[in-house]
Amino acid sequence: MTETTVAAPAGTKKHATWFRTVAIAEAISWTGLLIGMLFKYVLSDNELGVKIFGPIHGGIFIVYVLTVLLVRRPLRWSWPVTLLALAASVPPLFTWFFEIWAVRTGRIDDGRDTAVPSRASANSTAA
């Protein structure tokens, strides 16, 4: 399967940074909730992890959905990309995977100011 790379619009670094931050925070909160559920349902009857990470994850989930809807226009996301970003909020850690995919395909700016050489010889250490 071939990925299509699109050019990220200029001047959207703050939107991209905000999206990336929220996407990663959502994935981390999912991880905390999953660990809490592991302790509650498998290892012991301790509900403390779920009581702590449940509301944190719920709040970050709502922030993620709102962030997707707010950055879609400045980042020039099509509706299919937007729907994919929203769908990524449901399975655990998929917001992080979506963020990685969006950077690789140029849908969000990865924050690099320098170009990466594309030729193998440019990366060679041989003299």
Side-chain angles (χ1 to χ4, degrees):
M1 185 168 131
T2 304
E3 290 185 14
T4 304
T5 303
V6 294
T12 60
K13 190 173 281 196
K14 68 179 179 178
H15 296 100
T17 301
W18 177 249
F19 173 78
R20 294 181 77 190
T21 302
V22 173
I24 292 168
E26 201 274 345
I28 291 170
S29 72
W30 241 127
T31 303
L33 182 57
L34 289 172
I35 291 170
M37 289 169 51
L38 174 70
F39 276 94
K40 179 179 178 180
Y41 296 112
V42 178
L43 301 178
S44 69
D45 286 335
N46 189 343
E47 295 183 11
L48 184 61
V50 175
K51 285 183 179 181
I52 292 172
F53 283 103
I56 290 171
H57 173 68
I60 295 175
F61 170 82
I62 291 169
V63 171
Y64 176 82
V65 169
L66 292 174
T67 299
V68 168
L69 295 174
L70 291 173
V71 302
R72 74 166 296 275
R73 182 165 283 144
L75 296 178
R76 298 183 185 167
W77 286 353
S78 64
W79 277 109
V81 171
T82 302
L83 293 175
L84 185 61
L86 292 172
S89 67
V90 179
L93 306 178
F94 272 52
T95 56
W96 202 330
F97 298 140
F98 176 83
E99 182 267 337
I100 291 168
W101 173 81
V103 168
R104 286 184 180 169
T105 58
R107 286 172 172 81
I108 60 175
D109 183 12
D110 66 352
R112 293 184 195 164
D113 291 331
T114 58
V116 177
S118 59
R119 295 185 332 238
S121 62
N123 292 328
S124 175
T125 58

